Amino acid sequence: MSARNILVINCGSSSIKFALINRSHSTPLISGLAERLNSAEAALIWWHGGSIRKQQELPGADHRAALEQLLPLVDEACGGELHGIGHRVVHGGEHFTQAVRIDDSTLEAIRATVPLAPLHNPAHLVGIEASMQLYPGLPHVAVFDTAFHQSMPEHAFRYAIPEDLYREHSVRRYGFHGTSHRYVSLRAAEVTGLAVGDSSWLSAHLGNGCSTCAIVDGQSLDTSMGLTPLEGLVMGTRSGDVDPNLHGHLSRSLGWSLDEIDRVLNNRSGLLGLSGLSNDMRTLEQARNQGHRAATLAIEVFSYRLAKSLAALSCALPRLDGLIFTGGIGENSALVRAKTVGYLSLLGLAIDKTANARCVGGVTGGINLPDSTRILVIPTNEEKQIALDTLNLLQQRKGA
């Protein structure tokens, strides 16, 4: 990225995450979070160089007010040399297959995808529009979570439902976490010396949200999430795959509304629902060690369903060059990695217990036995990938 500074912004409904990225630095020059926006408890928290923590109260601040406070901090951190802003956008529908420079037509296309991501895209639009008003002279770039998965073939992204629901209402599988899956697959090729264009990976992004991905020659060919982030794996509070008729069953049996069922499946299920204790894997592992039966079951279901998904996605690969674990759980839970790989011996995977225990807390490394297919732990860095995509697009436009 030479000496160029790219600000990465990720706006939620009541928060803004930000990071100032320069490729010559291993950590962001400044990063932080504006949280609890539009409330009396709104606050801005930031770190310089990943270490020095500061906080400023912003009672009642909205997204624009928070951006007005954080942007001078960014200017100071980069000495007034800011070259562009990369915005994370969760859903790009079928319209966006890569990062794009934001203009009026881009904003309209993002608005058109709001029905597909009603909790995310409206917040992204608020942040984008506020940033563009505050920095009208800078290039703004949108990087979409769904874009990486637009290389999936039709037989992987179509649901077996009437065609008009796809053609007229865009009901299909889109996938998410694309920025993370792309980043770690590129890093996997780099650390193993394989060419990106001649490599095949299974990737598991495991955090509060979880997904798997089959990546061949740098392209996503299948992934576990679908129309929404609810499909697929067991997650922190999301159920993942359930019988499609569960909605009807709960409505008929319990009289629940669609909104109630959606809240249960998205906010009260997953690890939290199974354990009755927590959605945090660290808490569940501690409880398991103390003999907590429900926590033990939650971890076992999580790992089995993960292995099941990885085995299914192997159908998309011509060969398996390696399995990648990433995300908060993937990078730090040796237990989940070991249990998952234990179910995948048919894929030639076997774990080295010593190496597995060592790869926590941001360590990159291989955790497979010498005669096993590669198993890699690679910390994700979505902010860096967004910054790289932003800079690459700006350089392409400059070259054109």
Side-chain angles (χ1 to χ4, degrees), residues 94-288:
E94 291 185 307
H95 189 85
F96 298 106
T97 60
Q98 59 186 0
V100 295
R101 180 79 174 261
I102 299 174
D103 55 19
D104 289 343
S105 63
T106 306
L107 290 173
E108 281 304 308
I110 295 173
R111 287 190 189 97
T113 62
V114 165
L116 296 173
L119 299 180
H120 295 93
N121 277 23
H124 298 322
L125 284 165
V126 169
I128 290 170
E129 290 170 341
S131 300
M132 292 181 75
Q133 291 170 4
L134 293 167
Y135 270 115
L138 278 181
H140 293 255
V141 172
V143 180
F144 301 90
D145 273 7
T146 52
F148 182 57
H149 301 301
Q150 287 301 300
S151 52
M152 287 193 295
E154 190 170 15
H155 66 258
F157 72 70
R158 286 288 298 273
Y159 289 117
I161 57 176
E163 186 174 14
D164 61 297
L165 290 176
Y166 167 58
R167 299 296 178 192
E168 298 176 23
H169 303 284
S170 302
V171 178
R172 51 155 287 181
R173 303 181 67 249
Y174 291 96
F176 302 88
H177 295 146
T179 302
S180 177
H181 288 300
R182 179 166 177 242
Y183 177 81
V184 297
S185 65
L186 293 173
R187 282 285 291 138
E190 180 182 351
V191 301
T192 59
L194 296 176
V196 173
D198 185 20
S199 59
S200 297
W201 307 100
L202 290 173
S203 171
H205 175 103
L206 310 175
N208 193 49
C210 304
S211 68
T212 53
C213 187
I215 304 164
V216 178
D217 301 341
Q219 294 190 317
S220 170
L221 293 190
D222 202 354
T223 189
S224 58
M225 285 180 167
L227 175 71
T228 75
L230 183 61
E231 184 179 344
L233 307 178
V234 173
M235 307 179 215
T237 63
R238 297 180 190 137
S239 65
D241 289 342
V242 294
D243 186 325
N245 203 35
L246 178 62
H247 282 70
H249 173 73
L250 293 175
S251 176
R252 289 188 298 270
S253 300
L254 302 178
W256 288 3
S257 68
L258 285 176
D259 285 343
E260 287 174 303
I261 297 168
D262 282 345
R263 278 195 297 272
V264 168
L265 296 182
N266 280 283
N267 304 120
R268 292 170 49 198
S269 297
L271 291 172
L272 176 62
L274 280 165
S275 70
L277 184 66
S278 176
N279 64 317
D280 192 311
M281 185 61 73
R282 294 165 296 186
T283 300
L284 297 184
E285 289 191 16
Q286 291 173 359
R288 172 184 177 272

Side-chain angles (χ1 to χ4, degrees), residues 11 16 34 37-38 58 60-72 126-136:
C11 281
I16 303 172
L37 297 178
N38 297 298
L58 301 174
D62 59 10
H63 287 76
R64 181 184 175 91
L67 285 165
E68 288 175 342
Q69 293 298 316
L70 73 86
L71 291 176
V126 169
I128 290 170
E129 290 170 341
S131 300
M132 292 181 75
Q133 291 170 4
L134 293 167
Y135 270 115

Side-chain angles (χ1 to χ4, degrees), residues 330-349:
E331 295 166 26
N332 294 294
S333 178
L335 176 64
V336 166
R337 295 191 302 246
K339 282 189 167 294
T340 302
V341 172
Y343 286 116
L344 293 169
S345 58
L346 282 176
L347 295 184
L349 296 162

